Structure formats: C-alpha cells, structure tokens
Amino acid sequence: MSETLTAGGTRKLQIWRGDLTSGELVDYELETEPGMVVLDAVLEIQRSQAPDLAVRWNCKAAKCGSCSAEVNGRPRLMCKTRLDHLPADQPITVEPLRAFPLIRDLVTDVSWNYEVNKKIPPFTPREDLPEGDFLIDQADTDRMSEFRKCIECFMCQDVCHILRDHRLHDRYYGPRFMVRMASLDMHPLDGLDRIDQIADDGGIGLCNITKCCTEVCPEGIHITDNAIIPLKERVVDARYDPLLKILGRNRRRPGKKKPAV
Amino acid sequence: MRRDRWWVQPALIVAALTVFGIYSIVRAILSKYYAITAGGAHLQSPFFSPDLPGIFSFKTGLPWAFLVLWAPLGMRSTCYYYRKSYYRSFFLAPPSCAVAGAARRRYTGETKLPLVLNNLHRFFFYLAVLVVAFLWYDAIRGFFYHGSFGIGLGNAIMLINVLCLSAFTFGCNSWRHIIGGKLNCFSCSSAARTRHGLWQKFSILNGHHQFWAWISMFTVGLTDLYIWLASSGVFTDPHHVF
C-alpha cells in the first residue's frame, strides 16, 4: 500500500500532562498531513490546542537527542517516528521517559546522566607514548567510531530495567555510559585501567544483557554486543577466570595504570 | 504502556525451550536407539556423542548421555543470547522492553550466586568445542559404510547439523573476545593484526548468534529424532554406497 494512502486524516493522541505530584493522559485530536512525525503532531497541538504543553526538542533531525519520549509505550525519538508507522485504529500515546524525574508534561530531568558522566575519567594518554605521537591505525578507530555515534538521547537509559524498574541509579551507570567506558577502555592510546570502575562503581554485573538498550538505540549502536558484553568479558579476564589467575595474566594490561583515587 | 502483543515472543520462547528441555531429558533417560548401524552405517545421535560406552567398552542401562550433555547444555545456558532469552521469558526480568518485570525484593543481576556463574561461559565454550569436534568426527564417519563411501539422508542431516552447531559455537561472544576482542591495539604487532582479521570474521558469525542458536537447537533435536526413528525401525535410512 502506498504511503499516501495510509497517511494523513484525523488522528487521536493521548499526551501525558502533569508534574511530579499528579498527571494523566489527555486526549487530543488533530488533522494530520502525510509524512508527519509525532513531534509535528505534538507541536501542532501545542500551537493550536495546548499552548502550555511542555515538550523538549531541538534539531528535528534525529541528531540532537532532545525529543525522546515514550510513544505507544516504547522509547522513541518523536522526530523520527512517523504517524503512519503507528497503528491507525487506536490513539497514539505520548508519555515522558520513566527512568528520570518528571519536570512537567513530556519533559524530564536527565541531569543524573551528566553527573554519571563526570565520574568517568576522560581520555588519559599512556605514559609510554613518545611525546606528541597520537597516531592510531584505522583498524583501531573503526571499533570506537561506532560508539561515537551516540547522540545522548538517553532512551537506552530509559528502557534499561535496572534504572527504569529497579531504580538502581546509585549502583549502575546505565548502557549509555557503558558505551563511553568501552570507547575509552578499548582506546589503544588510553593509559587508564578502568576495569575496577566498570565492575564496581559502574555496576556492570547488574546488567543481564536483555538487549533492550540495543533495540531502542536510534543510531543503531550495538550497545550490548559491542560495548557491554566485551566489557563483561574484560571483567571476567580480571576477576573470574581462574585459568588466567593461575597464569598471572588476569591483570596484564600493558600501558594501563590504575587511576588515582 | 505498550499495547502491542509484546508477550508473544516470550511465550514462544518458553514453549520452545520447554519442549526442547523435556525432549532432551526424555531422550537421555531413554538411552537407546541412538545409532543407525544397519548396512555397515554408523550414524550416531548428537545427544549421545561421544559414544562413551563404545569408546570405553562398557555396557550400562543408566542414562550415560548426561555425562556429556551437561557441557553443551552449559554452553547454551550461559550463552549471552540464551541469557537474554530466559531472563526475559522465564525470569520476566523484564519480559519485554519497557514492560515492567516481575516484582522482586532485591535485584542483583549477575552479581550473586548462582547467576554470577554465567561469567564462566568461556569454559563451557571450551568444552562445547570438544563436543563439536566429536560431532565432526561422527559426521565424517557417517559417510562410510563398511569403509566404502556413501551418501544418504542420515549423513546429510548429520553434516548439516554439525555445520549449524559450529556456526553457533564459533559465534560465541566469549570466543570473539578471546580471539581478538580483548586487544586494545589491533595494529601493534603482526599477531595482533592476524587476531584482528579473525575477530572481524568471527564478529560476522557473532552478529547472527541468535539465528544460529535457534537453528542449531532445532537441527540437533531433529537429527536425534531422525536417528531415533530410523534406528528403531520406523523407516530405513535411504542411502547409496559407491
């Protein structure tokens, strides 16, 4: 069926309105145009029906990560979710991210993520590098470049049940920061041994790799397979593999030293 | 709240894993009709390989297959893909993305016993490689009837099965780590460059680990079923000896 046949027409939206103390899904109806995305609909409702509706957005090009919300119960970028890709026979629900404290309507306070980010020591060059020699082979940058695609929409954090359901924000950094830790730990020129932080403060053992973070990533980053599982395996090398322990190779990380406490 | 049929996938997984688990246990306890030997053939069921009574020359009515089965079952139960499956489907932790899981007093993930033992997945991988090696031996031996080469439905099924099992086994995340993923510099030595090439190749298999996990589970079950039926006389294994 062609796109134009399924697009447009009257659509019903249920948008969550409220703050930390109370709130509810409020019904709205609007005439839609072919090709509209959920953010278009929400902004049209804000313009024509609910000028006090709070919604965060910026680039409208799926690159700034601002308009994350839960559309029909799944974390999505509102600017990347077309109305004609959602079932036409039922209202479209739009709710705020659940893993973070609500400010108002669709806007949540994601500042916890920035606090976590501050705990991660930035790239620290190895001490054994010749001064000014920062050459890296293409083979080594390829693996890390996937992690650099992250737009910090925090939908992986939102869908992670450790944060979302168990509220263990004080014990687990979340998928987004496992990706950042992976990009640093796998960096051939980084001189910090980050395994203890990944295992202890970062809480990677809490992750039970159910891959929801990977499913919702709008950048298609293989968060679980390329970041979290490789980090788990590095923790196994350092802490759980009895064979490596007997051989004295469990803590062999050339060029890396423990970070200053 | 999700309104789609998110429960279909976990329900199917529960059904499939339960059926496979019960079938495996019943077959191991039954402990007979596990090899087609008519006409000089030797087609051994993958559930009963290596053939311990044959290798060590003993006879037993006890379900000896359990002495081997724990290794491949351990490989699967600690596999990163199967962990995703059973955490979602059996533990409901969570049952599906953005769906609230079963209420728990305290969530500890894989930090406490027994789930912390999943960190020993690589050792089950090592054992599974041994089992796969025996299965390759069985598959090649299956093409010979009293020393003459022959092709039949049974040995073709066994070959397909061992190919699928190899694709699953060598797509393992732990193997991908060991072969090259643990390196931070892929270009710093010729050994690192070789390992990088291998890492890239096994990463392709790893990208389809879920696919091969399911396919190989079905092929191993169906291969056993074929050998069970053929060796118990329900039908004759069609083959041609050259």
Side-chain angles (χ1 to χ4, degrees):
Chain A
M1 191 181 288
S2 78
E3 207 169 72
T4 47
L5 286 176
T6 59
T10 307
R11 294 296 297 260
K12 195 171 170 185
L13 272 82
Q14 296 180 324
I15 301 178
W16 205 92
R17 303 294 312 269
D19 54 26
L20 262 183
T21 54
S22 65
E24 61 179 342
L25 285 171
V26 176
D27 290 346
Y28 297 96
E29 224 172 63
L30 82 159
E31 278 301 313
T32 62
E33 302 281 338
M36 267 178 104
V37 292
V38 172
L39 183 60
D40 290 326
V42 169
L43 293 178
E44 176 57 24
I45 288 167
Q46 187 191 50
R47 187 190 68 78
S48 60
Q49 303 177 46
D52 61 338
L53 171 64
V55 54
R56 183 190 286 134
W57 67 285
N58 198 337
C59 75
K60 208 174 169 291
K63 283 294 162 200
C64 73
S66 302
C67 65
S68 311
E70 299 197 1
V71 179
N72 283 358
R74 294 194 70 132
R76 294 173 196 266
L77 291 179
M78 286 192 281
C79 70
K80 207 181 172 185
T81 308
R82 290 176 62 131
L83 296 180
D84 54 10
H85 289 178
L86 301 169
D89 57 345
Q90 47 187 265
I92 298 163
T93 60
V94 188
E95 298 166 274
L97 301 181
R98 291 194 188 186
F100 308 112
L102 186 67
I103 296 175
R104 194 161 67 84
D105 300 340
L106 300 179
V107 180
T108 51
D109 177 4
V110 295
S111 59
W112 171 80
N113 294 288
Y114 304 121
E115 296 307 316
V116 172
N117 198 36
K118 285 182 203 164
K119 293 183 194 172
I120 300 172
F123 170 73
T124 309
R126 290 164 53 151
E127 288 177 351
D128 56 355
L129 285 178
E131 199 168 335
D133 184 3
F134 272 49
L135 284 176
I136 309 178
D137 196 275
Q138 185 64 43
D140 296 312
T141 55
D142 282 346
R143 175 164 59 168
M144 292 181 296
S145 58
E146 180 188 14
F147 305 141
R148 304 281 168 147
K149 291 195 296 179
C150 177
I151 58 172
E152 297 209 317
C153 61
F154 300 129
M155 293 200 293
C156 58
Q157 304 284 76
D158 178 57
V159 83
C160 173
H161 70 119
I162 303 165
L163 306 174
R164 179 189 183 90
D165 298 332
H166 304 292
R167 317 304 290 186
L168 295 175
H169 294 70
D170 56 337
R171 291 178 55 204
Y172 183 50
Y173 285 180
R176 159 57 193 131
F177 297 104
M178 288 301 140
V179 166
R180 174 143 194 257
M181 296 292 276
S183 78
L184 289 164
D185 200 63
M186 293 173 186
H187 199 299
L189 305 184
D190 186 71
L192 286 188
D193 182 351
R194 300 167 188 272
I195 290 299
D196 287 339
Q197 186 182 19
I198 290 164
D200 299 330
D201 205 37
I204 198 168
L206 289 171
C207 171
N208 65 349
I209 42 154
T210 44
K211 294 199 177 184
C212 289
C213 49
T214 303
E215 282 186 24
V216 302
C217 180
E219 284 294 317
I221 302 171
H222 297 89
I223 300 174
T224 325
D225 282 309
N226 290 348
I228 296 180
I229 293 175
L231 289 183
K232 271 182 172 267
E233 287 294 319
R234 285 168 183 234
V235 172
V236 173
D237 282 348
R239 297 193 170 185
Y240 296 107
D241 188 329
L243 210 56
L244 289 179
K245 208 165 241 180
I246 291 166
L247 296 171
R249 295 173 70 93
N250 59 322
R251 277 291 181 180
R252 195 168 164 270
R253 311 205 77 206
K256 291 190 180 281
K257 62 169 193 170
K258 294 221 181 250
V261 180
Chain B
M1 183 189 287
R2 282 180 62 175
R3 294 175 184 158
D4 57 333
R5 291 187 292 169
W6 57 263
W7 45 268
V8 171
Q9 194 180 46
L12 287 175
I13 290 172
V14 166
L17 293 182
T18 304
V19 167
F20 183 75
I22 291 172
Y23 178 85
S24 310
I25 293 166
V26 167
R27 273 300 274 150
I29 291 172
L30 192 64
S31 225
K32 56 182 180 180
Y33 303 126
Y34 54 75
I36 302 172
T37 50
H42 196 150
L43 302 177
Q44 184 86 9
S45 161
F47 280 17
F48 298 86
S49 180
D51 179 15
L52 296 180
I55 293 169
F56 297 106
S57 305
F58 67 88
K59 284 196 170 180
T60 176
L62 294 172
W64 61 269
F66 284 117
L67 294 173
V68 176
L69 276 181
W70 65 272
L73 286 178
M75 163 84 179
R76 287 188 188 257
S77 58
T78 59
C79 160
Y80 284 98
Y81 165 66
Y82 279 102
R83 275 145 80 178
K84 169 198 162 185
S85 285
Y86 64 71
Y87 284 136
R88 282 195 188 191
S89 308
F90 287 89
F91 289 52
L92 307 179
S96 192
C97 301
V99 175
R104 282 185 172 73
R105 192 168 55 85
R106 195 163 150 261
Y107 175 80
T108 54
E110 296 186 330
T111 61
K112 305 276 186 218
L113 280 169
L115 296 179
V116 72
L117 295 176
N118 277 329
N119 286 309
L120 298 177
H121 178 51
R122 61 183 61 174
F123 291 96
F124 286 105
F125 164 77
Y126 303 146
L127 293 168
V129 169
L130 272 179
V131 173
V132 167
F134 278 106
L135 293 178
W136 270 107
Y137 171 76
D138 289 345
I140 293 165
R141 184 180 58 181
F143 283 93
F144 294 93
Y145 299 78
H146 285 310
S148 303
F149 183 75
I151 293 177
L153 185 56
N155 53 28
I157 287 173
M158 284 182 67
L159 182 64
I160 291 167
N161 177 50
V162 76
L163 282 168
C164 293
L165 280 170
S166 301
F168 166 65
T169 305
F170 290 100
C172 167
N173 291 79
S174 291
W175 173 237
R176 184 183 178 225
H177 169 77
I178 293 161
I179 198 69
K182 67 192 296 179
L183 298 174
N184 285 337
C185 184
F186 287 139
S187 58
C188 293
S189 65
S190 60
R193 280 188 287 276
T194 305
R195 289 176 71 182
H196 176 236
L198 291 169
W199 174 79
Q200 283 180 310
K201 288 179 177 66
F202 285 110
S203 291
I204 297 170
L205 267 186
N206 178 256
H208 304 282
H209 202 37
Q210 171 175 338
F211 173 79
W212 290 115
W214 282 108
I215 293 293
S216 63
M217 199 180 86
F218 285 120
T219 60
V220 79
L222 292 174
T223 305
D224 174 76
L225 183 64
Y226 181 87
I227 289 171
W228 182 5
L229 295 177
S231 61
S232 61
V234 175
F235 54 79
T236 309
D237 173 45
H239 62 272
H240 176 75
V241 181
F242 296 95

